Amino acid sequence: MANAEVVALPSSNQKVDLPRMLEELARRGVNELHVEAGFRLNGSLVREGCVDEYLVYLNPSFLGDAAQGMLDLPAFDSLETKLRLKILSLERFGEDLRILARPA
């Protein structure tokens, strides 16, 4: 690809070192990054502490248990260890709800 630069930032598990990737982007002047990804990358970003804000669109429908979730996270031992969020705004966007939240 013309004018593209590939930067290898491998982690110990042979994937991308996500915190180092964000540091490199910040060094290059990127101070805001929006990620729309699948449940595996979403889960990795959350587990590695790389998410400071969530923008979630909730559609009023049910997909059933065969649908993939939003985050690939390990099961919690109890509800006390769940990931808590603080809702910053809640709006209607057509039929959907738009939720802006941060880790509590």
Side-chain angles (χ1 to χ4, degrees), residues 46 49-54 83-88 101-104:
V46 170
C50 296
V51 180
D52 62 5
E53 196 168 81
Y54 297 87
L83 176 64
R84 295 183 158 278
L85 300 177
K86 177 181 179 186
I87 295 178
L88 303 176
R102 289 197 177 132

Side-chain angles (χ1 to χ4, degrees), residues 33-69:
L33 180 67
H34 293 237
V35 178
E36 184 175 345
F39 79 113
R40 284 194 180 96
L41 178 55
N42 287 341
S44 294
L45 288 164
V46 170
R47 282 191 312 274
E48 296 184 36
C50 296
V51 180
D52 62 5
E53 196 168 81
Y54 297 87
L55 182 58
V56 178
Y57 288 87
L58 180 62
N59 182 270
S61 58
F62 294 114
L63 300 179
D65 62 358
Q68 284 196 332

Side-chain angles (χ1 to χ4, degrees), residues 3-101:
N3 299 320
E5 180 182 357
V6 177
V7 178
L9 298 170
S11 65
S12 60
N13 61 0
Q14 301 305 312
K15 296 192 177 190
V16 176
D17 186 323
L18 296 171
R20 280 184 48 213
M21 176 202 63
L22 293 177
E23 289 170 5
E24 179 62 22
L25 288 172
R27 188 183 72 73
R28 294 168 182 242
V30 176
N31 63 10
E32 186 171 315
L33 180 67
H34 293 237
V35 178
E36 184 175 345
F39 79 113
R40 284 194 180 96
L41 178 55
N42 287 341
S44 294
L45 288 164
V46 170
R47 282 191 312 274
E48 296 184 36
C50 296
V51 180
D52 62 5
E53 196 168 81
Y54 297 87
L55 182 58
V56 178
Y57 288 87
L58 180 62
N59 182 270
S61 58
F62 294 114
L63 300 179
D65 62 358
Q68 284 196 332
M70 186 169 51
L71 302 166
D72 181 18
L73 296 175
F76 298 116
D77 294 333
S78 71
L79 285 177
E80 295 303 315
T81 59
K82 68 183 176 247
L83 176 64
R84 295 183 158 278
L85 300 177
K86 177 181 179 186
I87 295 178
L88 303 176
S89 70
L90 180 61
E91 303 171 50
R92 285 192 73 137
F93 191 79
E95 290 293 312
D96 298 343
L97 291 178
R98 180 185 186 271
I99 304 166
L100 180 62

